[in-house]
């Protein structure tokens, strides 16, 4: 064996030839940045609590990334302590300016499984798969995260496919019963729903859009999941407003489904039609 071959691989790549050096630089520049999770402890937590909470969010993030694609940016996760609550995650919201992240308000007395069974982390992390679209389009963003949360919980093995469909049905039917704006399109009424804090009605009315689009994509042999995978890989780090986002998703799916279904939500009065989407 010659002395040359015993050099470490990195040394050979760097100094073996000019061609290898360019190859290495090309790989470094073009390989997608792997998301790191950056933990921020905003209140006092014990080492044991930190282990439990990081495991919960790490497992959920891994499921989102397996289901769709690795996040092309670091995730910043903030924990705030809320003692003696009736649920493990009484409140959470995303952070979208400058950094991409989630604030979790947690009661760390709950066991790990209670956190894994909760929909909040799948919901909040799903929000980060698409850009922030502004308050006016909250129905679209919340509909998206609500649709995705149960897909992610199925990916995690927390819910079966049948349980996912049952949850969609219960929540969408309840939202339709509560909806009181039959004289106007859902996209317009959503602003009023938000003002009146009728959040579940806004969320699950919005989710009908994604149930609808996904069902139609599946008829074409693709799915919302596969289109999102392409989107996160190619385009997520660009800023998109709602029109640009739906056009990009149309382009990636080679359909007009995203923009046409959006136009329907803006034109047709009443709660979005959903009975034909339920399995
Ligand atoms: Zn949300």
């Amino acid at each position: 064996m010659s002395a040359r071959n015993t050099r470490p691989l990195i040394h050979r790549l760097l100094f073996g030839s000019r061609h290898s050096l360019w190859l290495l630089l090309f790989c470094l520049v073009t390989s997608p940045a792997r998301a790191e999770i950056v933990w921020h402890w905003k209140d006092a937590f014990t080492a044991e609590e930190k282990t439990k909470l990081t495991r919960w969010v790490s497992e959920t993030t891994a499921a989102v990334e397996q289901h769709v694609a690795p996040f092309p940016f670091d995730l910043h996760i903030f924990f705030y302590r809320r003692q003696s609550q009736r649920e493990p995650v009484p409140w959470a919201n995303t952070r979208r300016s400058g950094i991409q992240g989630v604030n979790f308000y947690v009661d760390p007395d709950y066991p790990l499984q209670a956190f894994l069974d909760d929909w909040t982390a799948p919901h909040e992390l799903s929000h980060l798969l698409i850009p922030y679209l502004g308050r006016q389009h909250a129905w679209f963003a919340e509909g998206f995260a609500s649709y995705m949360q149960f897909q992610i919980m199925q990916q995690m093995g927390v819910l079966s496919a049948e349980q996912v469909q049952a949850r969609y049905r219960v929540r969408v039917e309840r939202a339709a019963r509560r909806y009181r704006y039959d004289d106007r399109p859902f996209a317009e009424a959503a602003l009023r729903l938000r003002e009146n804090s009728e959040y579940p009605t806004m969320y699950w009315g919005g989710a009908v859009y994604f149930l609808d689009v996904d069902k139609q994509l599946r008829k074409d042999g693709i799915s919302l999941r596969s289109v999102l995978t392409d989107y996160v890989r190619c385009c997520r780090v660009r800023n998109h407003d709602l029109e640009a986002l739906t056009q990009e998703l149309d382009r990636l799916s080679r359909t007009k489904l995203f923009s046409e279904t959006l136009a329907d939500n803006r034109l047709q009065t009443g709660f979005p039609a959903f009975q034909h989407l339920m399995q």
Side-chain angles (χ1 to χ4, degrees), residues 193-239:
L193 292 170
R194 195 169 197 271
E195 281 166 21
N196 296 345
S197 304
E198 296 177 83
Y199 296 115
T201 310
M202 181 182 86
Y203 284 31
W204 289 101
V208 175
Y209 172 95
F210 294 94
L211 282 161
D212 193 353
V213 167
D214 202 7
K215 182 155 188 161
Q216 294 188 68
L217 288 171
R218 284 166 196 263
K219 280 187 206 153
D220 289 346
I222 50 176
S223 65
L224 180 64
R225 177 184 182 178
S226 67
V227 178
L228 283 173
T229 298
D230 291 345
Y231 172 75
V232 170
R233 285 189 177 145
C234 77
C235 313
R236 169 61 183 89
V237 288
R238 291 184 218 152
N239 280 325

Side-chain angles (χ1 to χ4, degrees), residues 61-196:
T61 303
V64 174
E65 295 193 329
Q66 277 161 17
H67 193 72
V68 179
F71 287 106
F73 40 68
D74 288 346
L75 298 179
H76 290 262
I77 304 297
F78 297 76
F79 286 111
Y80 303 83
R81 194 179 191 95
R82 289 292 179 271
Q83 213 66 42
S84 304
Q85 299 292 314
R86 290 167 60 184
E87 52 188 322
V89 197
W91 174 250
N93 61 343
T94 53
R95 294 172 76 124
R96 312 301 296 268
S97 63
I99 56 168
Q100 299 288 309
V102 183
N103 297 315
F104 286 112
Y105 296 79
V106 294
D107 181 347
D109 288 345
Y110 280 88
L112 174 63
Q113 195 57 49
F115 282 95
L116 294 170
D117 289 343
D118 186 277
W119 57 264
T120 313
H123 177 100
E124 300 300 335
L125 291 166
S126 292
H127 269 304
L128 303 181
L129 293 168
I130 60 173
Y132 178 67
L133 301 170
R135 287 179 139 210
Q136 192 193 347
H137 304 303
W139 70 269
F140 187 95
E142 295 302 345
F144 174 71
S146 299
Y147 180 72
M148 292 300 293
Q149 71 194 33
F150 294 143
Q151 301 284 315
I152 301 303
M153 289 173 82
Q154 186 181 338
Q155 178 79 41
M156 294 167 76
V158 172
L159 296 178
S160 67
E162 294 71 29
Q163 288 171 318
V164 168
Q165 295 308 317
R167 289 199 181 195
Y168 287 147
R169 175 181 283 281
V170 167
R171 281 159 180 76
V172 170
E173 286 180 346
R174 190 188 297 142
R177 280 198 304 276
R178 290 178 176 170
Y179 187 78
R180 291 174 289 110
Y181 304 101
D182 289 327
D183 60 332
R184 67 188 85 177
F186 181 78
E188 186 188 323
L191 298 171
R192 185 65 63 83
L193 292 170
R194 195 169 197 271
E195 281 166 21
N196 296 345

